[in-house]
Amino acid sequence: MSEAIEIRTADGVRLGATLLRPTADNGRAVAIQAATGVRQDYYAKFAAYFAERGFTVLTYDYRGIGRSRTRTADGLSFAPLRENHATMREWATLDVPAALDFLERAVPGARLMAIGHSFGGQIYGLVPQRERFAAVLLIGSQSGYWRHWRGVQRLGMWAFTHVFIPSMTRLYGYAAASRIGMGEDLPGGVALEWMRWCRHPEYVVGALGAHADYARFTAPLRIVSPTDDRYAPLAAVEALLKLYPSARGEIRRVAPQEVGAQRIGHFGFFRENFRDTLWRESADWLEQH
């Protein structure tokens, strides 16, 4: 059963969310944290599969994205994104905790779990629930520090983080990602803070001085790392795992040929053709905890 809901954050922001309840409950509740600029709808079929497997599943949009965009006073349309002052830190420290709190209230006594895609897997050290996770699965998550890329890609990441996104954001008042085919537009504060993190050798942990917080994350953690993911090369994935020094962590490298595919990349994991391979393996892993 799927239900459209709203979640209220500690600072009063309303987040559009979807709660999926299983027919046969396995006692586990999982929140899906999206990648930067990706709407929750992208994960709908993946979430439905997990509900079929017995998980209670929550998907939601961060403030400024999708159903969590600020609306005009009459409620009939979205306010201009340049007027949205959200930051990436607020996504991590207000939106994610609110979603997890809601999930724990909705399924009291369930084992709390999370699945984070890209950015969604980078911030668990910042959430108050970090010590209550039974297990966390990350998909294509990485440290965004630009030097983890090599060759031409490193040059591209330097330009992206130092010039392109900062310049675009200051020009439009927000990051107009949709104009260049890079997903949802981002509030300016989100984009600029993200770029600051990407310029720090220890990414979000170093930029926010959050070493002690990340050290308190001790849950089993698996990072699924497609070998053809150009947004998350192995060096960046390994660097992220080091930012969770107390986690019982592992990296699951997977080549497209291993699962009968030509490509997985950064976003392909959530395609339904991986239902009987990557999705099943992921659900099996979480069910072990």
Side-chain angles (χ1 to χ4, degrees):
M1 181 178 68
S2 175
E3 178 185 3
I5 58 173
E6 277 193 346
I7 296 171
R8 184 71 67 93
T9 67
D11 63 337
V13 173
R14 295 180 179 181
L15 306 179
T18 303
L19 183 67
L20 295 89
R21 292 188 183 271
T23 301
D25 195 327
N26 67 8
R28 295 168 175 81
V30 60
I32 298 178
Q33 279 68 50
T36 303
V38 178
R39 297 175 59 158
Q40 63 177 303
D41 298 349
Y42 189 76
Y43 308 99
K45 292 182 179 179
F46 178 74
Y49 171 81
F50 269 74
E52 291 174 18
R53 288 286 300 261
F55 294 82
T56 300
V57 186
L58 179 71
T59 65
Y60 61 100
D61 293 315
Y62 308 122
R63 63 185 67 196
I65 299 293
R67 285 166 47 204
S68 300
R69 287 276 302 272
T70 303
R71 291 191 173 272
T72 55
D74 59 15
L76 300 177
S77 60
F78 292 121
L81 197 57
R82 67 177 60 88
E83 297 176 7
N84 188 300
H85 303 295
T87 66
M88 189 162 262
R89 189 180 320 196
E90 289 172 338
W91 283 6
T93 62
L94 292 170
D95 297 354
V96 176
L100 293 169
D101 278 345
F102 174 88
L103 185 59
E104 288 192 294
R105 291 194 304 271
V107 196
R111 296 177 67 77
L112 181 64
M113 299 180 169
I115 298 174
H117 179 207
S118 196
F119 162 81
Q122 298 165 359
I123 40 71
Y124 291 119
L126 298 176
V127 303
Q129 297 90 340
R130 58 182 165 262
E131 297 174 54
R132 301 205 294 273
F133 286 119
V136 171
L137 180 73
L138 312 186
I139 313 299
S141 289
Q142 75 288 62
S143 165
Y145 179 49
W146 64 276
R147 285 187 181 273
H148 293 314
W149 281 253
R150 295 180 180 275
V152 174
Q153 286 189 327
R154 177 181 290 184
L155 179 62
M157 281 297 294
W158 181 91
F160 182 79
T161 58
H162 288 71
V163 180
F164 183 67
I165 291 296
S167 298
M168 173 193 286
T169 302
R170 294 186 175 103
L171 175 64
Y172 292 108
Y174 62 95
S178 64
R179 293 173 183 255
I180 54 173
M182 291 185 62
E184 292 281 297
D185 294 337
L186 301 175
V190 169
L192 293 176
E193 185 166 44
W194 182 27
M195 295 304 98
R196 287 194 293 272
W197 293 0
C198 289
R199 295 194 292 267
H200 196 289
E202 292 182 296
Y203 192 49
V204 55
V205 178
L208 300 184
H211 300 83
D213 292 329
Y214 275 74
R216 286 196 285 271
F217 180 97
T218 60
L221 182 152
R222 168 179 277 200
I223 307 177
V224 179
S225 171
T227 57
D228 64 336
D229 186 349
R230 64 187 181 92
Y231 291 101
L234 181 58
V237 174
E238 291 174 334
L240 178 67
L241 188 56
K242 290 178 182 177
L243 296 180
Y244 291 102
S246 305
R248 288 167 278 167
E250 62 184 50
I251 296 173
R252 164 69 166 103
R253 292 284 278 173
V254 57
Q257 297 76 16
E258 180 184 343
V259 290
Q262 292 186 334
R263 177 165 175 74
I264 302 173
H266 196 58
F267 298 97
F269 178 96
F270 300 97
R271 294 198 304 265
E272 197 171 13
N273 57 302
F274 293 122
R275 176 186 177 94
D276 295 325
T277 53
L278 296 175
W279 292 11
R280 176 183 293 174
E281 179 182 317
S282 297
D284 288 347
W285 185 82
L286 285 175
E287 284 182 341
Q288 295 171 13
H289 300 285

